[in-house]
Amino acid sequence: MNIEELARANVRALTPYQSARRLGGNGDVWLNANEFPTAVAFQLTQQTLNRYPECQPKAVIENYAAYAGVKPEQVLVSRGADEGIELVIRAFCEPGQDAVLYCPPTYGMYSVSAETIGVECRTVQAREDWQLDLPAIAANLDGVKAVFVCSPNNPTGQLINREDLRALLEMTRGKAIVVADEAYIEFCPQATLAGWLGDYPHLVVLRTLSKAFALAGLRCGFTLASAEVIDLLLKVIAPYPLSTPVADIAAQALSPAGIAAMRERVALIVENRARLMQDLRQLPCVEQVFTSETNYVLARITASSAVFKSLWDQGIILRDQNKQPSLSGCLRITVGTREECQRVLDALREQPGLSATETQ
Ligand SMILES: *Cc1c(COP(=O)(O)O)cnc(C)c1O
């Protein structure tokens, strides 16, 4: 018997998440993972690596609760927001029986986690404007225990309508958990649903230090929910999900000075984004640039696969979204430094457009 046959059937069938790092590339301009373009320096202050860490480090939880405007018992910290996705599915969905629901085009980890655990993935295509198709969701809720909604949505960049999120929470009350993935919420803080946690005990909000906090390499994320939901997630989380150095740095990043520095980074990215979008719209190969509330921009490009490859060969690594439903011809560009944005613009300017003959 070979080893492959010993594995669970759903694991054999699984395609692992095509993370930016797994996709490889030999770039010097990395704009494919929505990271912050430069590193923030930290000093380790905890020298107690002989001891196991706290499961939920008090300083991290208290700082995040204060930052998010919730009570400490409504906060769970984990190995990135990705672990939060997995914990919700493991705590609420019976393998082989229950389903999760999400609305493509959206973030890829909902399906990867559900498939790994053996939980059905039910999809309800987003409408043409990438908003929720509420009647179709309502018609497909049978057996669904968790609905994932990403707002602002990755990779499209726009917010999901607030009234629609409220309608979704009303229709799922007592039936399913609604997970609002707010990985990019620092770029549009007024849009958070954290203020609704008191009204909806089945609402879960996911957050991360990987994007605006510039700490993707730290692997630290947060789940905000009612204390009841948090207690259930604490039953299934690993005993020591965060190493001592991670907790040490996370607490510093969430200090008042850390949060002020994050807000400055956000302002810088928002400024670079406006400039990038404006300049992209002038290029012959760029057909459409979509609005963004995030640190990335989605654009429809003529001959996008060839353009993607050409930039890749020049060391400029973007994210090809061409295979996602309704995103044919779309590339996602992380907003980097001014220089990095300029490299992208210069490379795209060399690409032929639909009306290349008219524009020159
Ligand atoms: C980046 C991202 C995450 C994952 O965040 P980590 O904390 O790095 O695991 C979750 N959801 C969305 C939509 C993301 O873009």
Side-chain angles (χ1 to χ4, degrees):
M1 182 175 219
N2 72 29
I3 295 294
E4 173 88 12
E5 286 167 36
L6 283 174
R8 291 162 61 208
N10 61 323
V11 172
R12 273 182 269 146
L14 199 67
T15 312
Y17 181 67
Q18 295 297 303
S19 70
R21 285 294 167 275
R22 267 194 189 176
L23 287 169
N26 214 338
D28 57 344
V29 179
W30 289 97
L31 301 176
N32 66 342
N34 300 341
E35 297 149 325
F36 190 75
T38 55
V40 182
F42 287 96
Q43 301 282 318
L44 291 180
T45 65
Q46 303 290 319
Q47 304 295 342
T48 54
L49 295 182
N50 58 317
R51 300 292 176 193
Y52 281 110
E54 293 172 88
C55 174
Q56 293 289 291
K58 199 162 180 287
V60 178
I61 294 289
E62 286 180 352
N63 284 3
Y64 203 85
Y67 163 66
V70 300
K71 299 195 197 95
E73 57 269 30
Q74 295 179 293
V75 179
L76 178 123
V77 62
S78 61
R79 178 178 28 77
D82 282 349
E83 188 177 25
I85 295 168
E86 195 186 297
L87 293 175
V88 168
I89 300 174
R90 277 174 45 213
F92 289 95
C93 303
E94 197 71 66
Q97 186 178 319
D98 297 331
V100 302
L101 187 151
Y102 56 91
C103 303
T106 191
Y107 186 52
M109 279 305 291
Y110 315 135
S111 62
V112 171
S113 285
E115 281 168 18
T116 307
I117 298 166
V119 166
E120 180 198 333
C121 293
R122 201 166 304 158
T123 57
V124 171
Q125 191 65 38
R127 296 184 334 203
E128 208 167 316
D129 61 358
W130 294 323
Q131 291 295 328
L132 301 179
D133 186 342
L134 287 169
I137 292 174
N140 280 282
L141 276 182
D142 231 27
V144 169
K145 283 290 194 65
V147 179
F148 287 88
V149 180
C150 188
S151 182
N153 187 38
N154 181 1
T156 55
Q158 96 290 27
L159 284 166
I160 302 301
N161 295 332
R162 238 175 140 73
E163 332 63 280
D164 291 355
L165 290 166
R166 202 178 270 288
L168 177 67
L169 282 159
E170 292 297 341
M171 82 169 68
T172 51
R173 204 189 269 279
K175 292 188 202 147
I177 298 292
V178 172
V179 181
D181 187 338
E182 296 190 348
Y184 300 94
I185 203 68
E186 281 78 14
F187 298 97
C188 48
Q190 74 294 342
T192 183
L193 300 191
W196 291 5
L197 288 171
D199 301 331
Y200 299 105
H202 59 306
L203 170 62
V204 167
V205 174
L206 296 179
R207 299 284 192 81
T208 181
L209 298 188
S210 297
K211 310 290 164 49
F213 282 91
L215 290 170
L218 191 64
R219 309 306 305 127
C220 186
F222 295 86
T223 304
L224 313 178
S226 58
E228 266 178 291
V229 168
I230 297 295
D231 283 345
L232 285 162
L233 300 181
L234 282 170
K235 285 187 168 188
V236 298
I237 200 169
Y240 311 108
L242 264 57
S243 71
T244 301
V246 169
D248 186 357
I249 291 168
Q252 296 176 45
L254 293 164
S255 67
I259 290 167
M262 176 277 287
R263 293 204 168 110
E264 281 175 28
R265 283 193 296 273
V266 166
L268 180 82
I269 293 294
V270 167
E271 193 184 312
N272 287 356
R273 181 183 74 201
R275 186 181 293 263
L276 175 65
M277 289 175 72
Q278 188 181 359
D279 291 350
L280 281 171
R281 289 193 170 113
Q282 312 302 316
L283 299 177
C285 74
V286 175
E287 296 169 21
Q288 206 171 357
V289 179
F290 299 97
T291 58
S292 170
E293 303 286 340
T294 66
N295 66 340
Y296 52 88
V297 172
L298 187 75
R300 187 162 271 133
I301 311 266
T302 302
S304 70
S305 296
V307 170
F308 175 80
K309 173 77 168 52
S310 165
L311 268 63
W312 173 288
D313 291 340
Q314 298 172 56
I316 302 169
I317 314 297
L318 308 182
R319 189 87 165 167
D320 191 356
Q321 299 290 344
N322 189 48
K323 298 245 161 55
Q324 283 235 52
S326 85
L327 299 187
S328 65
C330 289
L331 303 182
R332 194 192 68 192
I333 308 167
T334 303
V335 180
T337 61
R338 284 279 295 280
E339 295 70 30
E340 288 171 326
C341 293
Q342 199 54 52
R343 286 275 304 273
V344 173
L345 292 162
D346 291 346
L348 287 177
R349 195 167 291 115
E350 302 303 313
Q351 305 295 323
L354 282 179
S355 52
T357 48
E358 297 162 25
T359 53
Q360 205 36 258

